[in-house]
Amino acid sequence: MKKVQSNEAKELKNSDTSKLLEYSIELKDKDIDFCINTIMGRYPEKGYCTNEMCKEICYILEGNGTINKKDEKIFFKYGDVILIDKGEVYYWDGNCKIIMVCTPAWYKEQCKFLDI
């Protein structure tokens, strides 16, 4: 069993429109991770992103917006859950705070940004 106290979580800036409260650095677990992502507009700011290895489950803690695939726009609001399979191509657009859990644990080398 592992515990990460709130004051041990690391604040990271993903971009001008995304900031993270990252608990996983202290968890040091390769199978699963946890963060809270605050999105303020479009992320990524242009194009799309995909996680080649990680599956994400996202709980909308506050706010609302859309998650956008090439041919589909999915509206979300507080209390909704979104499952993103590995390999899905998307971008976020909204003002929201999202709890994100990834398995296996997210790492930047498997995250790709695409100009589509």
Side-chain angles (χ1 to χ4, degrees), residues 49 63 77 86 91 95 101:
C49 62
K77 64 181 179 352
K86 64 182 177 182
Y91 69 88
N95 289 295
V101 178

Side-chain angles (χ1 to χ4, degrees), residues 47-66:
Y48 292 79
C49 62
T50 187
N51 290 302
E52 295 181 325
M53 302 301 294
C54 300
K55 182 182 257 192
E56 294 181 70
I57 192 153
C58 307
Y59 174 77
I60 311 306
L61 193 59
E62 295 176 8
N64 58 62
T66 60

Side-chain angles (χ1 to χ4, degrees), residues 14-18 39-50 68 70 89-93 111-116:
N14 220 10
S15 74
D16 287 340
T17 60
S18 173
I39 295 176
M40 306 147 296
R42 189 186 195 284
Y43 179 82
E45 294 173 64
K46 62 180 183 175
Y48 292 79
C49 62
T50 187
N68 304 273
K70 287 189 263 185
V89 176
Y90 63 93
Y91 69 88
W92 296 95
D93 194 4
C111 179
K112 304 295 180 204
F113 294 96
L114 310 166
D115 292 323
I116 296 177

Side-chain angles (χ1 to χ4, degrees), residues 16-114:
D16 287 340
T17 60
S18 173
K19 65 179 181 178
L20 302 172
L21 188 56
E22 184 63 68
Y23 288 77
S24 301
I25 294 167
E26 295 300 317
L27 283 176
K28 298 176 182 149
D29 191 306
K30 292 182 181 182
D31 295 325
I32 195 165
D33 73 2
F34 180 93
C35 78
I36 299 173
N37 190 350
T38 301
I39 295 176
M40 306 147 296
R42 189 186 195 284
Y43 179 82
E45 294 173 64
K46 62 180 183 175
Y48 292 79
C49 62
T50 187
N51 290 302
E52 295 181 325
M53 302 301 294
C54 300
K55 182 182 257 192
E56 294 181 70
I57 192 153
C58 307
Y59 174 77
I60 311 306
L61 193 59
E62 295 176 8
N64 58 62
T66 60
I67 187 166
N68 304 273
K69 297 168 71 171
K70 287 189 263 185
D71 56 357
E72 183 179 12
K73 182 181 282 198
I74 299 166
F75 293 90
F76 63 81
K77 64 181 179 352
Y78 160 77
D80 291 347
V81 170
I82 300 167
L83 175 66
I84 304 171
D85 276 320
K86 64 182 177 182
E88 285 194 279
V89 176
Y90 63 93
Y91 69 88
W92 296 95
D93 194 4
N95 289 295
C96 54
K97 190 175 283 190
I98 306 170
I99 292 173
M100 296 178 154
V101 178
C102 297
T103 183
W106 189 92
Y107 55 99
K108 71 178 185 177
E109 293 80 13
Q110 63 80 50
C111 179
K112 304 295 180 204
F113 294 96
L114 310 166

